[in-house]
Each structure stands twice: as structure tokens, then as C-alpha cells.
Amino acid sequence: MHILVMGCNHQTTPIELRERFTFADDRLALARQHLRQMKSILECVIVSTCNRMELYVVCDQLHTGEYYSKTFLEEWFRIPREDFQEYLYCKQDQGAVNHMLRVVAGLDSLVIGETQILGQIKRFFLDAQEQGTTGTLFNTLFRQAIQFGKRVHTETSIGKNPVSVSYAAVELAKKIFTSLANKKILLLGAGKMSELTAKHFADAEASQIFVINRTFERAKKMAGIFQGEARAWADLATTLREVDIVVSSTGASELVVTKEEFAPILAKRRESLFLIDIAVPRDIDPKLHQLDNVFLYNIDDLQEIVAKNLKLRQQEASRIEEWITTEVGKYFDWLNTLGVIPLIDSLRQKALGAQEEVMQRIERKLPDLTEQERRIIRKQMKSLINQFLRDPIVRVKELAAQPDREQIFTLFAHLFALEEEGLEGSKEEPAQFAKSRLSSSTSI
Amino acid sequence: MSDGWLYNFFIYLFGFNLLFALTYFFSPQTRLRQVTISFTIVAWGMESLLFILWLIQLFSFQGFESFFLYSWAMLTGSLICLYFVKLDVLLVFANFFCFLVWLQHLIFPRSDFLITELMMSKWVFIHVVMAMVAYAAFSLSSCSAGMYLFTNYLLKKKKWHSILRLLPSLGQVQLISKRLMQIGLTLLLCSLIQGFWIAYQRMDHSIFFDPKTIGSIIILIVYTCILLYWKMKGCQNRKLAWWNFLSILLLMVNYYFLNTSFSFHNWV
């Protein structure tokens, strides 16, 4: 049995092909069912987001699994195999689990460390589990991966540092003010960047947004987007006294807010003022930054913050890669222990059979035993068997992770004379065995 | 309380706390944060236990020293700030000061003070508690002012450092600094009034010439001026933050260096 992941993402595939490989939400269940019914496929989960499409499958043979996964894509999207197979990546076993953990940790995302993918993977898995296209292997793998993703985001700062200019501006504002909830924002200029930054501030629950633009109609239009207030250019000085944050991106070729003109006004303010100048050429006089309680950041300053944050995220990413290696090891250790279960089952069955035989002999020799006495003898015998078997079971489970486990299983079976019953099962591949023996519904 | 092992224990505890807190400060990790907070809570819990044990034997002042109250109040204040405003960095300062006072009292123990009947009064006890809690509040306020100055420096120099992410916002430290100063000022004023009243009731000579009393009045005046200036300006600026930050020196001078003729203040 093997684990296989096949798919395409923003790094490997052009948008023209990616957009054709999109599963509609309402047809995803049908697609999963179709994939699950393909020959060689035993379990499957389909992941489909705007930047990636991936098929996670458990298959009995690698080459057949790969072949039928491609056949599924060909049939489902009606795209000839030759058109897409060069863009697909296909990872197997350790590689597949490693890839999956990188995905949930956000290391494979367009923006490293983003958290959205974790929620999406969880949703795709839960849907597949509910539909019954997953079994023991994927139930355990996805559960472990989701827990790992959560751990990554709580124990590292990979997703905590903003990596866009507009979001960096909001984070800076949070370092100046206690809360943005009661802050007033002035948008100076009604450009696209102002709008994006204002959107972030609005999401942070800024109390009021004013818009000042040379063309009043555009100011009104922009103010309408945020339920704000448009003001005339002539009101700039009075508005600067009122607001806490200014986002400036006019198309002016000269400074719009000069120190000579506005420093006396700003000096009368009682609260801090955060000026964000994202215009090129700049709108706000850099000398204003020298004033006490005035903080001026231009586009280069913000981009420098973004660059530093990206570097920090990459540093965190290398730490997480080390964790991933450990997690992959853990999963395959667990997978290997599945092979020992038939042996343990056989050993238990044999012990219980022996107990039953002895019990019958006792009953024959002591026919006058009361029901209570029988119950006590039975209970004590069972307790003795459990105590006796506990250590061998624990030890053989530990040894199942060893590379020479086949020999160990044979020896174990030989020692306890389990050859006929247990060894056949233990020689099965873990996934096949798991599929045949264990319940497939494990809740997350 | 004068047992050497207890001093050693608390010094090691605060030393470890400080180590964890500083490591967390320079290399922020969730687990380090949890360890720092847990250790601080353990230290606070043990100090609280000692405090309760001591209260049970109230007014038998033997073996109790005022710095212990200061240390306890510092920890309590920093944990309250942590609980309400997630101000982790204050723990570093609180642990640092606690470590210092315990170490100082281990190296220079005060075993020669004379316990008089006067010191066994509950009024004196309240006077000391209020003064020490006021000192702790002023110390934490100074630490907040230090944080304000450092955050302000990083923001002005546009240094997006990992430490900046740990530091609270300027608005937050301003608010905490102000509240702590108000608490400290109120308690110190009450403590002084009560001290005068005790002196008037039970002492033969005036305490106005006592250096510690004069020091405390100066502290009161300085902090009142800072608060009034703050009120006038509407918000804290760098000048005000520097004043607040440096005022901790006044506290230290008054606590450690101003010798006094009063046996009671000698004890403090």
C-alpha cells in the first residue's frame, strides 16, 4: 500500500491550466466518489483551492495509483493527458506525507505561512471522511497533519508578521495606538493603494474614514465605499487636527503636506499621529517625522518591513522543515506498527482459547461450583493472561518500528506458535491490513 | 524570614525567571513565554504564602523586612498587567527588580535594627504596606516609561525589530504608566499622612527633619508635577517619559541611601 499525492499549484502550473483544473463545490463529492471507484485507489481526498488542485490517494501499487489518478483527471476535466502531465507533480509515501505537512504549515503557499490553507484542508478532509472515501491511513494522517498545522501556527511566528505593504501599515498603527477601534483615518488621494490600506483599517474597526481628494467627486465615491465622509481640499488643515492616521497617495508632483505649513497645526495635537505616505513622488514632508508624537512612514519604509518579515518567515520555515521530518517519521512508525496487529490478535485469541479449555476442564472436575465461584475463577484466569501478555505485546509493538521487523514477526510467531494464524496477516501491507481490519470512521 | 536558605531559594527562583524572561525577550517562543509566566506565578504564589503566614502572626515583626512587600507588590502588579493587557515585558522588569532586592538583602542583611513597641502597631504596618506598594507602583510605572521610550525610539528610527513585536503599543504603555503613577501617588500620600499622624500621636520629636520623610515628600512632589504636566499636555511625550523613567533613581536614593534617625524608618 502506498500514499500518493498528485496535483498542480501556482509554482508548477500556469493559470490557464490551473483554472481548468477546478472542482466546483457542488460536484466535489461526486468527483471523490468517482476517484474512489477507480481501480487501485483505496482512499482519497481531493483538495481544490484557487492556487492548488491535489489528489491525495492510498493505492495498492504506485504505478497503477499514478496511472488511474491521471485517468481520473483526464476523464473528469476532459483534458488529454499529454496536455497536463508535464505540469503535474507526483510524490509518493514519505515524499507525499512531507508535502502534505508542508502544505498545512503554509510552506507551500503563495504567501509563506498563511493560515487559510489549514482550514481548507480540514474542510476537504472532513467532507471526504463523512462521505466515506477515507480509511484508517488518511484518518490518522490528516488528523496528525491538521494538529501539526495548528502547532506550527501557535508555536512559531510564521504567520504573525505582515507581508504586504498595506497590512504592514496597519500593524505599525497597532504599535502606536492602544486600539484602532476609535481611530479616525484620513485618506489623502483616492488611489487604489489608499483604498486597499483603508480596507485593512476598516477591517480593524477604525471608527471613521475621511477622504480628501483634489476632485471632490472621486473623494465622495471613495468615501461611499467605507461609509466615510468626503471633505474639500481646503479642509485639510482642520481634518489633520482631528484624525489619528493619514494615508496619503495623491498623484501630486510636489509635497502636499509640508512642515512649514502644517507643523504648527500638528504641534497643537494632544494625541499621536501616524502618517503613511505611499505616494511616489512623496506627498508628506519627511521632516514631519522629527516632531514628537508624529510617525511618518513612506512606501520604502513599509517595503523594508515587508522584506524583513519575509526573511523572518523564511527563517521560521527552515525550523518547521525540521519538525516535518520528525512528523513524517512518527507517521511511518505508526504505519509500521499496524503490521503487528494480526499477531497480537492471534496471540490474544490463542490465550483466550486456552483459558476456555482450562475452564471447561475445571468445570468437569468440579461440577459443584456455584455460578459466583465460576465467575471468580474465570476473572482471575483472564487477569493472569493479561498480565502475562502485557509485556510481550508492548515489546513487539516497539520492535515493529525496526527495519528488520519481518524477522522479528516471524520469531515472535514462532515463539508463541502463531504461524498458521497471525503471520499471514502481519505480512500484508499496513494499509491493506488497516483497511480490512480497522474501522474507517475516526472522528477528528 | 532571615533564614539564608529562603534568600537563596528566592534568588535562584528570580534568577531563573529572569533568564527565561530575557531568553523569551530576545528569542520569542510560546513555550518560553509559558515557562516564564509559570515561574513568575510560582514565585508570586510562594511570596503570597509567606505573606499570609506572616499576617497570621501579625504584629510580631521579627524576621520580616519591607523589601519583601516591595517584591510581592511588583510581582502582583506585573501579573495583573499581564492578565488584563497581555503586557509580558513587564515581567522581565519585575523579575529583575525582585532578583536585585533579594540579592541585595542577602549580601547586606539588616540584622541590627531594633524592634520597638511602636513598630508593632497595626497603623505602622498599614503605613509600611502602603509605602511599599506605592514604591512598587512607581517602579512599574518607570519601567513602562522605559518601554515607551524604547518603543518610541524603534518607531522613530524605523527599526522593525523582533523586540518591537513583543513590546506593547505606545498608547498602551502610556495608559499603564499613568494608572500606576496615580495608584502610587495616592498610596504614598496616604502613607505619608498616616506617618505624620503616628508621629504626632506617639513620638516626642518631629519627623519633618527625617531624611526619609523629606525624600518621600520630594518623590510625591515630583510625581505630582509629572502627572499635572501630563494632564496639561494630554499625552505623554518623550520629555515626560524621561522624567518618569528617571524618577526611579529618586526612589532608590530614598530607600537605600537616606539614613534616618528613627528606629522605625531604619527598619524600612
Side-chain angles (χ1 to χ4, degrees):
Chain A
M1 288 301 121
H2 299 275
I3 295 169
L4 194 82
V5 56
M6 179 183 283
C8 60
N9 63 21
H10 57 281
Q11 291 162 333
T12 62
T13 316
I15 181 107
E16 292 77 19
L17 188 61
R18 246 169 39 230
E19 63 195 6
R20 293 173 72 188
F21 273 141
T22 307
F23 290 94
D25 275 356
D26 55 341
R27 286 175 52 83
L28 202 56
L30 201 64
R32 270 194 303 262
Q33 196 184 356
H34 185 61
L35 177 61
R36 174 65 187 82
Q37 283 164 355
M38 299 297 287
K39 195 177 167 192
S40 181
I41 309 290
L42 304 168
E43 296 180 36
C44 71
V45 174
I46 297 175
V47 170
S48 176
T49 69
C50 51
N51 277 326
R52 72 176 64 243
M53 181 284 296
E54 281 171 348
L55 309 178
Y56 290 87
V57 298
V58 172
C59 52
D60 51 9
Q61 298 288 332
L62 273 176
H63 64 278
T64 50
E66 196 176 327
Y67 178 82
Y68 285 107
S69 297
K70 279 181 188 166
T71 307
F72 162 74
L73 290 174
E74 203 173 28
E75 287 175 4
W76 188 262
F77 294 110
R78 299 206 177 102
I79 304 172
R81 187 176 296 230
E82 299 74 42
D83 290 0
F84 64 77
Q85 62 182 3
E86 65 175 299
Y87 297 108
L88 287 186
Y89 48 81
C90 183
K91 295 166 200 268
Q92 300 148 2
D93 296 327
Q94 266 96 345
V97 176
N98 187 296
H99 174 80
M100 185 184 183
L101 294 171
R102 292 188 86 253
V103 170
V104 292
L107 302 188
D108 202 49
S109 299
L110 187 64
V111 178
I112 295 176
E114 58 103 0
T115 52
Q116 201 183 8
I117 187 71
L118 178 61
Q120 288 169 326
I121 295 270
K122 187 176 174 180
R123 184 171 61 83
F124 289 124
F125 162 61
L126 289 175
D127 289 349
Q129 191 187 37
E130 198 182 348
Q131 197 182 350
T133 63
T134 61
T136 309
L137 295 203
F138 270 179
N139 287 339
T140 306
L141 176 61
F142 275 82
R143 198 168 57 228
Q144 186 184 336
I146 291 161
Q147 275 169 358
F148 176 72
K150 284 179 187 166
R151 184 185 153 209
V152 161
H153 292 297
T154 47
E155 291 185 21
T156 71
S157 54
I158 190 149
K160 285 175 190 149
N161 310 306
V163 284
S164 75
V165 165
S166 46
Y167 191 44
V170 175
E171 287 300 296
L172 265 172
K174 284 181 184 168
K175 284 283 152 211
I176 297 169
F177 305 104
T178 315
S179 153
L180 298 182
N182 56 350
K183 297 297 164 213
K184 292 176 180 171
I185 320 279
L186 166 64
L187 301 183
L188 196 54
K192 206 75 198 146
M193 272 301 276
S194 293
E195 188 184 331
L196 189 63
T197 314
K199 191 178 172 305
H200 280 298
F201 279 113
D203 288 344
E205 294 176 351
S207 69
Q208 200 172 0
I209 293 178
F210 300 102
V211 186
I212 293 181
N213 195 56
R214 295 248 186 227
T215 319
F216 188 69
E217 284 311 307
R218 283 193 68 190
K220 261 177 91 173
K221 198 177 160 194
M222 173 81 94
I225 298 172
F226 302 105
Q227 284 91 45
E229 184 186 329
R231 287 197 176 175
W233 190 264
D235 295 334
L236 180 58
T238 43
T239 313
L240 273 178
R241 233 177 273 163
E242 276 179 57
V243 297
D244 305 285
I245 298 163
V246 178
V247 182
S248 179
S249 72
T250 72
S253 54
E254 287 179 353
L255 294 176
V256 176
V257 182
T258 58
K259 189 182 178 189
E260 290 71 30
E261 195 181 348
F262 289 95
I265 296 164
L266 298 183
K268 287 177 192 163
R269 291 176 51 89
R270 290 167 72 92
E271 299 293 328
S272 299
L273 178 66
F274 182 31
L275 303 168
I276 305 157
D277 187 358
I278 42 180
V280 179
R282 287 178 291 181
D283 288 337
I284 304 174
D285 194 342
K287 287 181 216 152
L288 284 170
H289 187 63
Q290 294 160 3
L291 295 179
D292 209 8
N293 287 343
V294 174
F295 301 90
L296 167 63
Y297 279 70
N298 61 37
I299 186 82
D300 277 5
D301 301 326
L302 295 173
Q303 268 165 354
E304 200 179 320
I305 291 172
V306 168
K308 277 184 183 170
N309 287 345
L310 274 172
K311 206 174 154 191
L312 275 173
R313 284 193 181 205
Q314 274 151 5
Q315 280 170 3
E316 289 288 65
S318 31
R319 192 154 70 100
I320 295 163
E321 295 278 9
E322 287 170 22
W323 293 2
I324 287 176
T325 313
T326 318
E327 285 293 314
V328 172
K330 261 195 232 169
Y331 179 72
F332 280 92
D333 282 349
W334 169 81
L335 205 57
N336 289 331
T337 59
L338 286 182
V340 83
I341 290 173
L343 276 180
I344 295 170
D345 267 1
S346 301
L347 184 63
R348 280 218 175 97
Q349 288 305 321
K350 192 167 182 172
L352 289 173
Q355 181 208 344
E356 198 48 44
E357 247 175 59
V358 173
M359 196 61 216
Q360 281 169 6
R361 246 181 280 150
I362 291 172
E363 281 172 349
R364 270 201 307 273
K365 288 180 181 169
L366 301 167
D368 300 330
L369 284 173
T370 64
E371 192 54 41
Q372 196 194 359
E373 284 165 342
R374 277 198 198 112
R375 217 173 25 242
I376 290 168
I377 294 170
R378 203 181 286 274
K379 197 176 165 188
Q380 292 307 314
M381 280 170 72
K382 199 169 181 182
S383 164
L384 178 74
I385 287 168
N386 283 341
Q387 278 182 41
F388 183 73
L389 291 184
R390 194 179 53 214
D391 287 339
I393 288 172
V394 170
R395 294 282 157 80
V396 78
K397 272 186 180 172
E398 284 167 5
L399 290 168
Q402 303 292 321
D404 56 347
R405 58 184 166 276
E406 292 301 328
Q407 282 173 306
I408 293 165
F409 292 167
T410 312
L411 186 66
F412 187 84
H414 189 65
L415 277 175
F416 289 95
L418 306 169
E419 284 91 345
E420 296 101 46
E421 304 143 78
L423 204 54
E424 286 309 307
S426 71
K427 278 181 181 167
E428 281 181 56
E429 288 289 344
Q432 194 178 19
F433 173 73
K435 192 167 172 55
S436 60
R437 291 272 183 126
L438 299 174
S439 151
S440 65
S441 56
T442 317
S443 61
I444 190 162
Chain B
M1 283 291 293
S2 58
D3 290 342
W5 69 268
L6 197 65
Y7 283 86
N8 282 328
F9 173 79
F10 273 107
I11 286 164
Y12 281 125
L13 190 61
F14 285 120
F16 275 119
N17 268 2
L18 192 60
L19 193 70
F20 284 125
L22 283 173
T23 317
Y24 166 65
F25 196 61
F26 289 107
S27 157
Q29 285 172 28
T30 316
R31 281 199 182 157
L32 268 175
R33 182 180 183 267
Q34 285 166 348
V35 170
T36 309
I37 293 171
S38 310
F39 266 67
T40 311
I41 290 171
V42 167
W44 177 81
M46 296 201 65
E47 283 198 339
S48 302
L49 186 72
L50 285 175
F51 191 41
I52 291 165
L53 286 175
W54 175 74
L55 278 176
I56 292 168
Q57 313 168 342
L58 194 58
F59 313 127
S60 62
F61 272 70
Q62 283 87 341
F64 187 81
E65 293 189 50
S66 60
F67 79 91
F68 169 80
L69 264 175
Y70 173 79
S71 163
W72 179 82
M74 281 290 273
L75 284 187
T76 310
S78 62
L79 285 172
I80 289 171
C81 289
L82 177 77
Y83 182 79
F84 285 106
V85 282
K86 304 271 177 289
L87 199 60
D88 326 15
V89 192
L90 215 51
L91 288 184
V92 181
F93 294 104
N95 278 305
F96 174 71
F97 279 103
C98 292
F99 179 71
L100 274 191
V101 292
W102 278 91
L103 189 68
Q104 188 261 326
H105 278 82
L106 179 75
I107 299 169
F108 308 109
R110 292 186 181 192
S111 53
D112 54 344
F113 62 83
L114 186 72
I115 298 155
T116 64
E117 196 188 336
L118 169 71
M119 283 150 62
M120 293 169 77
S121 141
K122 67 179 173 184
W123 295 111
V124 174
F125 163 70
I126 294 166
H127 169 71
V128 175
V129 170
M130 282 197 295
M132 286 300 119
V133 176
Y135 270 43
F138 286 140
S139 304
L140 288 173
S141 177
S142 290
C143 296
S144 303
M147 274 192 270
Y148 175 90
L149 287 168
F150 190 53
T151 311
N152 192 295
Y153 168 80
L154 290 175
L155 286 169
K156 279 284 181 189
K157 293 285 171 193
K158 300 180 179 178
K159 292 188 175 178
W160 186 252
H161 199 275
S162 61
I163 292 175
L164 183 62
R165 277 186 288 275
L166 276 186
L167 290 167
S169 69
L170 290 177
Q172 208 170 25
V173 279
Q174 272 189 71
L175 187 74
I176 289 162
S177 187
K178 193 175 180 178
R179 291 280 175 269
L180 285 165
M181 219 192 292
Q182 286 166 340
I183 292 167
L185 208 56
T186 314
L187 286 173
L188 187 64
L189 184 67
C190 293
S191 174
L192 274 174
I193 292 168
Q194 200 186 17
F196 289 137
W197 181 75
I198 294 166
Y200 176 75
Q201 292 279 313
R202 305 176 72 165
M203 286 181 177
D204 300 334
H205 47 293
S206 169
I207 59 159
F208 284 105
F209 302 108
D210 173 46
K212 212 173 260 308
T213 311
I214 295 167
S216 296
I217 292 169
I218 291 171
I219 289 169
L220 195 75
I221 292 167
V222 168
Y223 276 105
T224 309
C225 289
I226 294 174
L227 264 182
L228 283 175
Y229 187 59
W230 196 326
K231 179 86 182 158
M232 278 159 56
K233 285 289 291 178
C235 70
Q236 191 173 29
N237 56 23
R238 264 181 290 182
K239 204 198 289 178
L240 208 56
W242 271 113
W243 270 102
N244 188 4
F245 180 62
L246 293 175
S247 300
I248 198 166
L249 296 175
L250 276 177
L251 298 179
M252 287 166 110
V253 169
N254 196 35
Y255 186 79
Y256 288 117
F257 302 111
L258 293 186
N259 290 325
T260 167
S261 52
F262 285 95
S263 57
F264 164 69
H265 275 150
N266 222 352
W267 172 71
V268 170

